[in-house]
Amino acid sequence: SQLRQVDSGYDSVLLPRQDDDIFCVYDPRSALPRYLVHFDVLGLGKEDELDGLEVERLKAEIEELRNNQAPSDDSSELCQRLRDLQQMHASEAEAWALKQLPPYRFEVVSRSSEPNVWQRCAARLAHAIDEGAGLAAGLEAVMTKLERIVNPGMAARFYGDAADLFYPEEHFRWLLHNGTQQPFAIGELGFFRESFDSGEAPSKGSGGVSEGRFGKGFYFGCSASLLGRTGLGQQHMLLCEVALGRSMLAQAARRNLDCESLKRAGFDSLHAPRAIGDETGMDEWVVYNPNQARPAFLLTFEIQPRAVAAELLRQLAQLEEQRRALDEQLAEALQEVEDARREAEETRSQLDAQLAQQLEDQDRNLYKEEQRSRAARERMDLEEAKHLQSLESKEK
């Protein structure tokens, strides 16, 4: 049977099978190729004795060539120089390719046009608010704005570095980052690269409230209280896609950790789980390579007393209704302009057709008039010739 994508609230189709399940998606943007696997099929079929001898002979020849062509010191230096040049050219080509990508931008997500995205992010925010210590009694959080972060250069670095992790096949996780007091500090160079490269320990403004409990890195969690975003007023948090790879479990503070020491230990990130029996504790994740995190959404929300939050929700609903009405009016105005343009185009086509018909009629009449004039001239010439001929006959 033929499957078609329908608006049923699902993103994919699962076809369960006994040997292996099959997943089907209908939007090509839902699939991201990450690896290209090259393989050979060897040892199939039955080798006869002659084929086996031929294979052994080829192996012996290859081994002899390897032994007789051992590189000298000079050739080793040349090979190393060639590899360095190739790596340098590859780096320059990658840098040039990243420069050709369009700059980053923020796209406002409308609740009316993308309700599913808005609801999922609002649910993630509500879960983050309830996780851990939560809000003080009588307070409530309301998401007032949602922005999508579009940064092709950062995305290219993220997926490129994710492929080089120890466990690159691990699924990416969606985690929260507290951002900064200046939430628009996400630049083309990378994810908060300025604060990371400065060498300062992570703080509430650049990496989490632990202030370097696990060294200089980027701190993520699922709780707003962990990220210091439960105070009154307007707050910001980033919803990020994080490539954790192989995570090191940490039960105590380790302030000397950095990217190199973590790599030497064979890990890609750090996970500090909540203590057993600690209801107010929260999980925490740390990455030390800024390219292992891709900010996807900027969540702006207000923490206010419930009465103020209710009024804020009412105002947001009114603003959304006004925006919807304005969108409808704009759509109607654009439709009227399109109808007027189409009518003008049809009128111009009709006038062009009439003008073309008039020109054709004029050409036809002119042709007929020329034909009549030619016929009249021919008759006059014939009569004049007859008259001259008669005059000549009389003279004779």
Side-chain angles (χ1 to χ4, degrees):
S1 61
Q2 295 183 351
L3 295 175
R4 296 182 303 170
Q5 185 178 15
V6 295
D7 188 11
S8 57
Y10 296 95
D11 302 309
S12 61
V13 174
L14 168 62
L15 305 177
R17 297 177 58 181
Q18 185 175 1
D19 52 351
D20 191 12
D21 295 335
I22 296 179
F23 296 87
C24 181
V25 297
Y26 299 89
D27 188 349
R29 297 172 297 180
S30 302
L32 175 67
R34 295 181 63 187
Y35 299 98
L36 178 62
V37 180
H38 299 270
F39 63 94
D40 294 324
V41 179
L42 302 175
L44 297 181
K46 182 179 180 181
E47 293 184 2
D48 55 25
E49 185 176 358
L50 292 177
D51 291 339
L53 294 175
E54 183 67 18
V55 171
E56 292 298 330
R57 185 182 65 81
L58 291 175
K59 290 182 178 179
E61 290 183 0
I62 293 174
E63 187 65 26
E64 183 180 358
L65 289 173
R66 287 176 176 174
N67 294 333
N68 294 336
Q69 294 185 1
S72 62
D73 294 340
D74 295 339
S75 61
S76 299
E77 294 179 1
L78 290 176
C79 291
Q80 182 62 36
R81 176 59 177 165
L82 179 60
R83 285 193 293 269
D84 294 342
L85 288 174
Q86 290 174 345
Q87 184 177 2
M88 182 182 66
H89 292 161
S91 301
E92 292 178 353
E94 181 181 1
W96 180 86
L98 291 176
K99 289 181 180 179
Q100 309 309 310
L101 295 173
Y104 73 97
R105 65 184 185 277
F106 290 82
E107 294 181 351
V108 177
V109 177
S110 173
R111 182 164 52 180
S112 58
S113 60
E114 298 183 75
N116 293 333
V117 176
W118 181 281
Q119 291 172 6
R120 287 198 296 269
C121 291
R124 194 60 181 263
L125 174 62
H127 178 269
I129 294 296
D130 295 335
E131 184 79 4
L135 296 178
L139 297 182
E140 189 171 346
V142 178
M143 190 169 73
T144 57
K145 189 177 183 181
L146 179 63
E147 295 173 273
R148 180 182 289 108
I149 302 170
V150 181
N151 193 329
M154 187 185 301
R157 290 188 293 271
F158 170 73
Y159 292 112
D161 284 24
D164 296 330
L165 299 178
F166 288 106
Y167 283 6
E169 68 278 4
E170 289 293 326
H171 295 294
F172 302 148
R173 291 203 58 167
W174 288 92
L175 299 172
L176 293 169
H177 184 85
N178 66 342
T180 64
Q181 300 300 328
Q182 299 289 334
F184 300 99
I186 304 173
E188 294 183 62
L189 295 179
F191 174 62
F192 296 109
R193 187 180 295 274
E194 293 82 1
S195 59
F196 186 82
D197 290 342
S198 65
E200 300 176 357
S203 61
K204 293 184 180 181
S206 62
V209 297
S210 58
E211 297 200 5
R213 193 160 66 101
F214 299 105
K216 293 180 290 187
F218 295 92
Y219 289 71
F220 298 88
C222 299
S223 169
S225 59
L226 172 70
L227 302 175
R229 289 294 181 259
T230 56
L232 281 175
Q234 188 181 78
Q235 303 287 347
H236 301 280
M237 282 197 304
L238 290 165
L239 182 57
C240 306
E241 190 177 18
V242 186
L244 295 173
R246 185 186 183 192
S247 294
M248 171 191 290
L249 290 179
Q251 302 294 342
R254 300 183 60 178
R255 299 181 182 275
N256 60 339
L257 280 179
D258 56 18
C259 187
E260 293 183 0
S261 59
L262 199 69
K263 290 294 183 183
R264 284 196 302 267
F267 294 96
D268 303 305
S269 61
L270 181 139
H271 177 206
R274 70 176 68 189
I276 299 177
D278 185 3
E279 297 181 356
T280 61
M282 294 151 286
D283 289 287
E284 194 171 13
W285 289 266
V286 187
V287 297
Y288 300 88
N289 177 8
N291 293 331
Q292 284 181 234
R294 182 184 70 87
F297 294 96
L298 175 63
L299 284 62
T300 303
F301 57 100
E302 292 273 352
I303 296 180
Q304 299 290 349
R306 282 196 172 89
V308 179
E311 177 64 20
L312 187 60
L313 281 174
R314 188 185 65 80
Q315 294 178 2
L316 285 175
Q318 290 181 352
L319 289 174
E320 195 66 30
E321 183 64 24
Q322 293 176 4
R323 177 182 293 180
R324 186 187 62 79
L326 290 174
D327 290 341
E328 292 179 354
Q329 294 177 5
L330 180 60
E332 291 177 359
L334 291 175
Q335 186 62 40
E336 292 177 358
V337 171
E338 181 65 21
D339 294 340
R341 187 193 65 79
R342 188 180 298 108
E343 291 178 0
E345 188 70 24
E346 292 176 355
T347 302
R348 188 179 67 180
S349 300
Q350 293 175 0
L351 292 176
D352 291 343
Q354 293 176 2
L355 179 60
Q357 186 64 38
Q358 291 177 1
L359 292 176
E360 185 178 357
D361 294 341
Q362 289 179 1
D363 292 340
R364 188 181 299 108
N365 294 333
L366 181 60
Y367 177 75
K368 291 180 179 179
E369 187 66 26
E370 290 178 351
Q371 290 292 102
R372 285 196 295 269
S373 298
R374 187 181 299 107
R377 286 197 302 272
E378 290 178 353
R379 286 196 301 271
M380 291 177 61
D381 292 341
L382 182 59
E383 291 176 356
E384 185 177 357
K386 289 181 180 179
H387 180 66
L388 292 175
Q389 187 177 5
S390 61
L391 291 176
E392 292 177 354
S393 300
K394 290 181 181 179
E395 290 178 356
K396 293 180 179 179

